[in-house]
Amino acid sequence: MVYQQTKAQLKQQGLAPSKKLGQNFLVHRHTAERIVRLASLSRQDSVIEIGVGLGALTTPLAESAARVIGLETDSGLIRLHKKEQDLPENVELIHQDVLQADFSDLVRKSEGKRLKIIANLPYSISSPFLFKLIEQHDKIDFAVVMLQKEVGLRLLAVPGTKEYGIPTIMMASCAETTLLMRVKPEEFHPRPKVDSVVVRLRFQPVPDRVQALESFDYGLLKTVVNGAFGQRRKTLLNALSSTGLLSKEAIRQCIVSAKLSPSIRAEKLELEDFVKLCSEIRKYQTIE
Ligand code: SAM
């Protein structure tokens, strides 16, 4: 019932796409099917879909997995699906704002397994949503997420570029990001002004690339990365000195012990450098 008829269907139900809720619905079935295919689900999986909308992704998801738990915040759309009974039987629709959702609860609903998430969400909440995934990373297996191209590129950025920053490092500290596909505005109704990408975020308690390093303190990493990029034009030494973590001289010693130059800028540092630096800061704090 969705796809090409999206516009007509909304009109018939007395609904209009809400700008506030970022409602840009997928209009081509083959695009929705491609996203689901790229998610590589198995028939035994329970999948969490965030932002069910009219169900463009929900139907192919329900055909590829054992069960879909769909979150949607719009009461108009919840009423529509209840009235029409148009979603497949293995879909459980929940009226819920994902930013308020309790992920432990979703894990319980997924038979105690780490979450497999599919999301085509409003671009206005990409940032809080991605940071929620980072905060809750131990409860997630993977997420396949549609993002505004520029936000996706930030996750995939390499050191030394303007896209490289806090989201790049914090996501890399708990997940591996892969680009799955690019999506043009013509794929949506209404058409967004920007291009989109679909990425896969494969979460790991400690990612492969930092597993061999001495210690990994997620809370400290967050403070250091925020401090370092908070004033990204300053040198690492000056940016970190204003965080109040340690004295300037102590920070300098930690930077040197981590085999970094105090005059380097945050955007040149790899995740591994940040982890080493955190480990030196932690050692210094323990001695003090
Ligand atoms: N999945 C559908 C598709 O691909 O056509 C809809 C995508 S549309 C971009 C985003 C959907 O997320 C809308 O249905 C919107 O109402 C819903 N949404 C917006 N904010 C949300 C939130 N905080 N929590 C859950 N759903 C939300």
Side-chain angles (χ1 to χ4, degrees), residues 13-160:
Q13 299 296 333
L15 296 170
S18 155
K19 241 190 179 161
K20 190 167 147 251
L21 292 175
Q23 292 179 344
N24 300 98
F25 301 110
L26 278 170
V27 289
H28 295 128
R29 182 172 173 101
H30 59 87
T31 310
E33 283 175 346
R34 179 150 181 239
I35 297 171
V36 172
R37 227 177 14 254
L38 289 169
S40 307
L41 299 165
S42 96
R43 296 253 168 230
Q44 289 76 45
D45 286 337
S46 284
V47 186
I48 309 289
E49 189 198 357
I50 298 169
V52 167
L54 291 167
L57 278 167
T58 323
T59 304
L61 274 175
E63 288 162 6
S64 306
R67 206 164 143 242
V68 181
I69 300 160
L71 271 57
E72 174 55 62
T73 194
D74 183 348
S75 37
L77 289 174
I78 297 280
R79 264 198 312 277
L80 166 85
H81 292 302
K82 290 228 160 102
K83 184 171 145 224
E84 298 288 315
Q85 291 293 311
D86 56 351
L87 295 175
E89 271 187 4
N90 57 343
V91 177
E92 181 188 348
L93 185 61
I94 304 176
H95 189 193
Q96 167 89 72
D97 174 344
V98 64
L99 299 179
Q100 308 298 326
D102 178 347
F103 276 28
S104 304
D105 217 35
L106 294 177
V107 169
R108 274 191 291 278
K109 281 185 183 294
S110 310
E111 291 94 37
K113 299 211 179 89
R114 288 197 301 144
L115 307 176
K116 296 173 199 290
I117 297 175
I118 310 277
N120 175 12
L121 270 177
Y123 295 145
S124 56
I125 68 163
S126 300
S127 200
F129 174 65
L130 290 173
F131 279 99
K132 177 151 189 171
L133 296 186
I134 293 170
E135 291 292 335
Q136 302 288 322
H137 68 262
D138 57 326
K139 303 182 189 74
I140 311 169
D141 180 350
F142 69 78
V144 168
V145 187
M146 175 95 73
L147 295 168
Q148 182 174 344
K149 186 174 140 199
E150 130 188 57
V151 175
L153 294 184
R154 268 185 228 150
L155 299 182
L156 294 157
V158 293

Side-chain angles (χ1 to χ4, degrees), residues 210 265 285:
V210 289
R265 289 194 165 72
Q285 287 174 328

